[in-house]
Amino acid sequence: MVRTGLHLDELGFLTPGFVVPIQDALNVCCLGPPDCWPTSAYELIGRGDLACLNLAIQHREESLVTIEARSWEAVQMMCARTHTYAAYVVDKGHISYLDEDGLTRICTMASLCHADNSLLREVSRLLCSSKLVLFNATRPPEISDHDFEQRKQASLLLACTRSFATAAGRGMITFRSLPSLSTLAEVLLVPRMCLLGRSPPCNVTVALDLSSPLAGALSLWPKFHNGVAVGLRLQSLRSTSRLTARQRKSVCITRTWIVYNKPEIPTPQHGGLLLALGLQQQLHVLAMTDIYEYLTLGHDPTTVGMLLGMAAAKCGSCDAAVSKMLCLHIPALLPQPFAEMEVSAAAQTAAITGIGMLYCGTAHRLMAEFLLGEIACCSRGDRMRDREAYTLSAGLALGLVTLGKGSSNEAAGLGDLEIAQRLHHALAGGTESKSGQILRLLSSTVDQGNYLCEDHVCNSRVREGEYLNTDLTAPGATLALGLYFIQTNSTAAAARLRLPDTGVLIDTVRPDFMLLRVIARGLILWDFIRPTTEWVEAQLPSVLVDSMQALLAVSSSRSKMCAKVLFCKCSCQKELPLQDAADWSTLKQAHANIVAGGCFAIGLRYAGTGCAMAAATLKYFLIRFKALRNACDLVPGVVTRESKHTSHSNALLDPVIREHSLAWRPDRPTLEMCLATISIALGMVMAGTGDLESLRLLRQLRLRIDEDITYGTHMALHMSIGLLFIGCGRASLSRSKEAIAALVVALFPRYPRSASDNQYHLQPLRHLWVLAVDWRGLKTVDVETGTDVPVPLQIDLDPDIDYIAKGVAGSFASRQILRVMSPCLLPPVCNIGSVQVASGRYYPATLHSLQHLQNARAIVCLIIHVKRRPGYLSYIHDPCALREASGVAGESGINNKSDLCSLRILAPWARRTFHASANMGSALFDLNHCLYLRMKSRSTTTQLTQVLKVMFLCHMQMIHFS
């Protein structure tokens, strides 16, 4: 019929003898048409869903985000044989001034994904910073009014510090949740950062005093993070998308809009907005004159946002103009007359990181040699502020430039640089090597023999000797070596990062450097990582394991004998092995850091997979470290707010666990850093899944506020919560080399102590996780109505994957089956074998991604069009939906039905309608049944007919109400 051009309208002119067989054939083909048919054939048999699928494959856009707002009128016209591609538009609306943080909108967007809106409301409460904070300030009877006011200010400062650290996590959950069609004509609203608090029981509003230095630090970088979070909310299309000129002006970020939002006085919020636009590939619309105006303002947040934003927008492109702009902010790349130009430490760190992003994966010879020299370079003059962050960024930039080139022939031009040997020299220490050829070239105007003796180069505060300062060079060199050999499984390269195996060597390496070594070894030995506790504990050197077991035994024996006699510390130390080799605080710190490093490596290895075993391993260590932190709460009479709310408080009362916690407990800063690192690792593994158990655990860790919990710890916990719901549950994390490198830079396990701390890691780099986002939020659309509908799906995973996804319904020898209810988060698309509609209410459709390239492209589009069978209702309007989904969950053998998302079928408004209609239906049924039995006893035909009429009218009203 397709070849002859025969349409359904022409069948009415034929005789029934010809029409009936053709109609029967069309009905049979409608149930299971082949995958190779053209679009017109699918339209002929009435399968508009498969026709839309074909057109989506033929006109697939590069940007996956643009698929989320489609013109459904165009889709319906296309089903009516109008072969016009549906233009991408965005939803209509405007900025709500009642929703400053953008958290109210995500509850509406994710109503189908998370039917229990209380979960999203709780996440919104945790990440909100525009409302008053609650704090506790008890007043003893002997304290004066002045001292009590100071105590209230101190408590309010701690609460505001936690509130101001929510911006990074809020940017994750609200990522691309605001349509740009309504915002291009308005000023983008930046939510306020509330500095007011309320203390029960009086509930008197208290304002934070900004005159103190700690409170004044909250007005710079937290506001910068707030601006980044606002900019990441924008959901816009690239100017290179397949759109008309009129559509491009209405939905794409333009230079006019950016300049229109530019404030008269530079603010940190606008600097964060520039970084967010650059991370979304939107900052290239600015002219070089606009960039020059921004850079000449002399405002650090604006300069940092512009440098990092432009580098992210041109990531991996080696753009010459952007390269010149970045080099102008690095004094080491300037000739001597201009090298003394004053450039802030934050701008230098951002510029050198931008070099790494701009030349990412290119193995650029000139930049690689320069960055290699900067790792071990001496300080130039007295400008030594934040040298640790600068050298770390130089190492990370070198790792980005030479990403994965360690064992490939592509880096043949870098062989004479001896990158691996020089990096090992920088992390192990030794005498400083001579400068490279590029440094001699840049300093050719000055006599090389007298260059280091000049007054403007010598440092008057730090004496640089002939040996390398590993406190500066080791972190960057360690991660650079890991990124240089990433996913190569090179045992020779991993041997350069081996951990110290004797007590004497343990004293020579800082404990936090051991954490970085474990992470770098995991990046190299990628395929050797296992999501088990045994693998994490196998990273510990044998001497450290024996020492910790001996320490536990001594602590246990000491607790048994303390009731008889009190031994002095010296007598107890005689029983301990290795007392002459290492002190016990160093052993505890090394043990905690190595375990945290192993957990972080697991988080990188299984990022975005939802691996159940990896999540269970990370939760185990997170609970164990949480018990170490709560060890002080086990002392009789000491009960904190956290111990009252924790679900593991009963387990902590076990004497064995108490002895274990008291014996292995390191110092508090190390403990907080390890807790934050493992929380980040858990967020990476469960990214986008909205795992309830993980959220409960992170919320318990967030609950505690005291002087020992720093601003960086709060930031890490909020980022972990944001990762669980990244992109409002529509996205996850990728595991490509570039994505893993971006995660290493953004989630570097060293967190700021205060809101103004950039000593060890530049805070704006925390937002580079955007470069690792992988959009995997699949939704099913009814082709007739153009609305999102929940549909059961069955996903067959690739048998070669190295993990078991969460919610797998059945594990067989050849495949894993995952049964979900759309809209849902897909596993990594490269691991999907097939996706099929597993519901009798809709026509069957199967996409085999491993067998057909077109089906794989359709899955990447993240939209599956379905067509409902005649005589069936959707799962939203059918009251039996919950019962049927529960039956499916029972058949799959899953104990936890929330894993199957069986409770996410109905939106809250639909669930209320369902309960109301169900209650009304049951009441009408009871009434009709009583009337029927009473009238049947009289056995009168006329009366029975009247009763049946009444029953029919009641049921019609019930159907109309539902």
Side-chain angles (χ1 to χ4, degrees):
M1 293 177 65
V2 174
R3 293 176 182 176
T4 58
L6 184 63
H7 300 288
L8 293 177
D9 299 338
E10 301 176 1
L11 295 180
F13 300 99
L14 302 178
T15 60
F18 289 98
V19 175
V20 173
I22 293 177
Q23 290 287 357
D24 292 340
L26 293 177
N27 293 334
V28 172
C29 294
C30 183
L31 298 178
D35 298 333
C36 57
W37 276 11
T39 305
S40 56
Y42 291 131
E43 296 175 357
L44 186 63
I45 63 176
R47 293 298 300 272
D49 54 338
L50 299 180
C52 290
L53 182 63
N54 261 9
L55 288 183
I57 295 173
Q58 297 172 6
H59 303 278
R60 183 171 63 93
E61 285 283 340
E62 296 180 359
S63 179
L64 299 181
V65 185
T66 59
I67 303 173
E68 298 189 2
R70 198 184 283 267
S71 175
W72 298 117
E73 293 79 9
V75 172
Q76 295 175 355
M77 293 176 58
M78 181 266 302
C79 295
R81 301 187 303 275
T82 302
H83 303 282
T84 303
Y85 180 62
Y88 292 130
V89 298
V90 293
D91 300 331
K92 296 181 180 180
H94 59 278
I95 300 178
S96 175
Y97 287 86
L98 300 178
D99 183 21
E100 295 185 41
D101 294 324
L103 296 172
T104 304
R105 180 180 176 82
I106 65 172
C107 298
T108 305
M109 292 180 59
S111 58
L112 282 179
C113 294
H114 303 278
D116 188 7
N117 267 13
S118 60
L119 178 64
L120 292 175
R121 286 196 299 269
E122 176 64 16
V123 174
S124 301
R125 184 188 67 83
L126 297 178
L127 299 179
C128 181
S129 61
S130 60
K131 296 183 180 179
L132 276 73
V133 297
L134 298 178
F135 65 96
N136 293 326
T138 59
R139 180 172 183 173
E142 67 277 3
I143 195 172
S144 62
D145 294 340
H146 177 71
D147 294 339
F148 181 58
E149 288 297 328
Q150 290 184 346
R151 175 174 293 190
K152 287 197 298 184
Q153 286 293 328
S155 301
L156 180 58
L157 178 60
L158 295 177
C160 289
T161 300
R162 185 181 67 175
S163 177
F164 274 44
T166 60
R170 189 175 71 248
M172 293 179 173
I173 190 175
T174 60
F175 185 40
R176 292 184 181 177
S177 61
L178 182 64
S180 60
L181 181 63
S182 59
T183 61
L184 294 180
E186 329 176 359
V187 177
L188 188 62
L189 179 65
V190 179
R192 58 192 176 94
M193 307 289 282
C194 187
L195 294 173
L196 302 178
R198 183 182 293 115
S199 177
C202 299
N203 290 331
V204 178
T205 302
V206 181
L208 182 65
D209 184 12
L210 297 178
S211 60
S212 63
L214 294 178
L218 298 176
S219 61
L220 186 60
W221 292 113
K223 292 184 178 180
F224 179 89
H225 299 315
N226 193 27
V228 176
V230 173
L232 293 179
R233 289 178 57 195
L234 294 176
Q235 176 183 330
S236 59
L237 309 185
R238 298 185 184 181
S239 59
T240 58
S241 302
R242 189 181 293 107
L243 299 171
T244 63
R246 182 176 181 181
Q247 291 172 340
R248 185 178 293 109
K249 290 181 180 179
S250 61
V251 298
C252 297
I253 298 295
T254 61
R255 172 189 174 275
T256 305
W257 183 83
I258 297 177
V259 176
Y260 178 67
N261 282 271
K262 180 181 178 182
E264 297 181 359
I265 301 176
T267 59
Q269 293 90 332
H270 190 70
L273 176 63
L274 295 176
L275 175 57
L277 295 178
L279 292 173
Q280 298 196 69
Q281 315 291 325
Q282 298 291 342
L283 206 57
H284 62 276
V285 298
L286 290 178
M288 291 305 298
T289 55
D290 301 324
I291 298 175
Y292 175 79
E293 291 180 1
Y294 276 114
L295 296 178
T296 54
L297 294 175
H299 189 244
D300 267 2
T302 304
T303 302
V304 170
M306 178 59 68
L307 295 177
L308 291 178
M310 289 299 299
K314 300 289 185 178
C315 184
S317 64
C318 301
D319 187 84
V322 179
S323 178
K324 293 178 182 178
M325 178 188 67
L326 295 173
C327 292
L328 285 175
H329 292 80
I330 303 177
L333 289 175
L334 298 178
Q336 185 55 39
F338 303 96
E340 295 302 316
M341 185 173 56
E342 186 68 27
V343 182
S344 64
Q348 293 184 40
T349 305
I352 202 169
T353 308
I355 289 291
M357 290 191 292
L358 187 65
Y359 293 92
C360 181
T362 61
H364 194 274
R365 162 81 186 202
L366 183 66
M367 291 302 171
E369 187 175 1
F370 161 70
L371 295 171
L372 188 60
E374 284 299 294
I375 294 177
C377 185
C378 299
S379 61
R380 297 178 179 87
D382 292 338
R383 293 175 295 182
M384 53 174 294
R385 184 182 178 186
D386 300 339
R387 287 182 58 196
E388 295 85 354
Y390 181 81
T391 55
L392 172 65
S393 298
L396 293 174
L398 177 62
L400 290 174
V401 173
T402 61
L403 187 64
K405 307 297 184 182
S407 60
S408 63
N409 297 326
E410 300 177 7
L414 303 178
D416 61 321
L417 294 180
E418 300 179 349
I419 295 179
Q421 293 80 356
R422 294 176 64 179
L423 289 177
H424 178 262
H425 179 72
L427 68 93
T431 58
E432 187 175 359
S433 60
K434 296 182 179 180
S435 302
Q437 296 180 2
I438 183 173
L439 295 180
R440 292 194 297 268
L441 179 63
L442 293 176
S443 59
S444 59
T445 57
V446 183
D447 182 35
Q448 188 69 21
N450 299 328
Y451 181 72
L452 295 179
C453 299
E454 296 292 335
D455 293 337
H456 60 273
V457 176
C458 293
N459 196 323
S460 62
R461 290 184 288 180
V462 177
R463 184 176 182 271
E464 299 285 353
E466 60 179 356
Y467 290 93
L468 289 175
N469 186 0
T470 55
D471 291 339
L472 296 177
T473 61
T478 302
L479 294 180
L481 190 61
L483 295 176
Y484 184 51
F485 291 96
I486 186 174
Q487 299 181 6
T488 58
N489 300 316
S490 174
T491 55
R496 298 180 181 273
L497 298 167
R498 62 178 179 271
L499 297 175
D501 52 0
T502 63
V504 176
L505 294 178
I506 288 178
D507 264 346
T508 61
V509 181
R510 273 175 43 179
D512 56 331
F513 290 173
M514 298 182 190
L515 181 147
L516 298 179
R517 290 193 183 188
V518 175
I519 295 174
R521 285 175 58 89
L523 293 176
I524 298 173
L525 304 177
W526 187 259
D527 295 333
F528 292 91
I529 299 178
R530 296 293 179 265
T532 59
T533 57
E534 291 78 10
W535 182 87
V536 176
E537 294 173 350
Q539 308 306 308
L540 296 169
S542 58
V543 62
L544 192 58
V545 175
D546 297 339
S547 301
M548 298 304 291
Q549 292 297 334
L551 179 61
L552 182 61
V554 170
S555 177
S556 177
S557 62
R558 187 188 307 172
S559 62
K560 293 179 181 179
M561 300 175 61
C562 65
K564 299 181 180 179
V565 64
L566 182 63
F567 290 93
C568 63
K569 183 178 180 181
C570 297
S571 62
C572 295
Q573 290 290 342
K574 293 180 181 179
E575 303 177 6
L576 301 180
L578 299 179
Q579 63 157 352
D580 299 331
D583 63 293
W584 291 106
S585 62
T586 302
L587 294 177
K588 294 178 183 179
Q589 293 176 8
H591 180 273
N593 279 277
I594 293 174
V595 171
C599 293
F600 194 85
I602 291 178
L604 292 174
R605 177 65 177 84
Y606 298 96
T609 61
C611 179
M613 187 177 297
T617 300
L618 296 175
K619 291 174 186 176
Y620 165 77
F621 284 107
L622 194 60
I623 293 174
R624 199 173 81 173
F625 275 96
K626 183 173 178 291
L628 294 178
R629 188 176 75 171
N630 295 341
C632 61
D633 300 339
L634 303 179
V635 180
V638 179
V639 180
T640 62
R641 181 185 177 189
E642 183 183 10
S643 63
K644 294 180 181 180
H645 294 81
T646 178
S647 60
H648 307 284
S649 58
N650 294 332
L652 295 179
L653 297 178
D654 188 6
V656 178
I657 298 181
R658 176 180 175 177
E659 293 172 0
H660 188 281
S661 301
L662 293 176
W664 287 12
R665 186 175 186 266
D667 58 316
R668 186 64 183 275
T670 301
L671 193 56
E672 294 296 338
M673 189 268 294
C674 294
L675 275 172
T677 302
I678 302 176
S679 300
I680 288 289
L682 180 60
M684 284 191 289
V685 174
M686 307 305 293
T689 61
D691 185 57
L692 181 59
E693 186 178 354
S694 301
L695 178 62
R696 287 173 178 169
L697 191 55
L698 294 174
R699 186 179 62 173
Q700 292 172 9
L701 294 174
R702 176 192 176 274
L703 189 62
R704 189 164 186 166
I705 302 178
D706 55 37
E707 294 81 0
D708 295 326
I709 300 180
T710 62
Y711 171 82
T713 303
H714 289 307
M715 177 185 289
L717 294 177
H718 289 124
M719 291 180 69
S720 304
I721 297 175
L723 284 172
L724 290 179
F725 299 88
I726 185 172
C728 196
R730 301 167 298 159
S732 189
L733 299 177
S734 175
R735 292 197 295 170
S736 62
K737 293 182 181 180
E738 294 77 10
I740 295 299
L743 290 176
V744 171
V745 177
L747 307 177
F748 177 73
R750 188 65 184 264
Y751 309 101
R753 292 193 55 83
S754 63
S756 60
D757 184 15
N758 287 308
Q759 181 179 1
Y760 296 99
H761 186 264
L762 188 63
Q763 291 191 37
L765 299 182
R766 297 290 177 188
H767 302 281
L768 296 187
W769 57 264
V770 178
L771 304 178
V773 171
D774 184 18
W775 290 96
R776 290 195 255 127
L778 178 69
K779 66 179 182 179
T780 50
V781 178
D782 194 332
V783 73
E784 296 179 352
T785 62
T787 58
D788 298 351
V789 291
V791 176
L793 300 176
Q794 177 175 314
I795 303 174
D796 293 347
L797 300 179
D798 187 359
D800 297 332
I801 62 176
D802 54 351
Y803 63 91
I804 298 178
K806 179 185 177 183
V808 171
S811 298
F812 302 93
S814 59
R815 61 175 182 171
Q816 298 181 30
I817 299 177
L818 182 65
R819 294 192 178 101
V820 295
M821 179 69 70
S822 67
C824 62
L825 185 71
L826 290 176
V829 179
C830 59
N831 298 334
I832 296 177
S834 65
V835 178
Q836 59 180 335
V837 178
S839 174
R841 305 186 183 192
Y842 294 87
Y843 282 106
T846 305
L847 302 177
H848 297 281
S849 60
L850 298 180
Q851 302 176 4
H852 302 282
L853 181 60
Q854 292 186 351
N855 290 345
R857 293 176 179 175
I859 295 176
V860 172
C861 290
L862 301 179
I863 289 183
I864 296 181
H865 298 88
V866 295
K867 184 175 182 179
R868 194 171 66 251
R869 293 175 182 266
Y872 287 90
L873 295 176
S874 66
Y875 284 90
I876 295 180
H877 300 93
D878 191 352
C880 299
L882 289 176
R883 190 185 312 166
E884 179 179 340
S886 301
V888 174
E891 294 173 1
S892 62
I894 301 178
N895 296 327
N896 188 4
K897 296 181 182 179
S898 63
D899 294 343
L900 187 62
C901 308
S902 60
L903 300 179
R904 304 189 311 169
I905 297 175
L906 295 182
W909 57 268
R911 202 183 314 115
R912 290 192 297 267
T913 305
F914 160 68
H915 290 311
S917 61
N919 295 334
M920 180 179 179
S922 60
L924 290 175
F925 177 81
D926 295 339
L927 176 61
N928 295 338
H929 186 65
C930 294
L931 289 175
Y932 178 77
L933 293 178
R934 184 174 181 180
M935 297 300 297
K936 185 178 180 181
S937 60
R938 301 180 182 180
S939 61
T940 304
T941 305
T942 305
Q943 294 175 346
L944 285 175
T945 304
Q946 295 178 357
V947 170
L948 291 177
K949 289 182 180 180
V950 173
M951 293 171 61
F952 176 75
L953 292 176
C954 292
H955 281 292
M956 290 299 295
Q957 293 179 1
M958 182 188 68
I959 294 175
H960 176 71
F961 177 78
S962 61

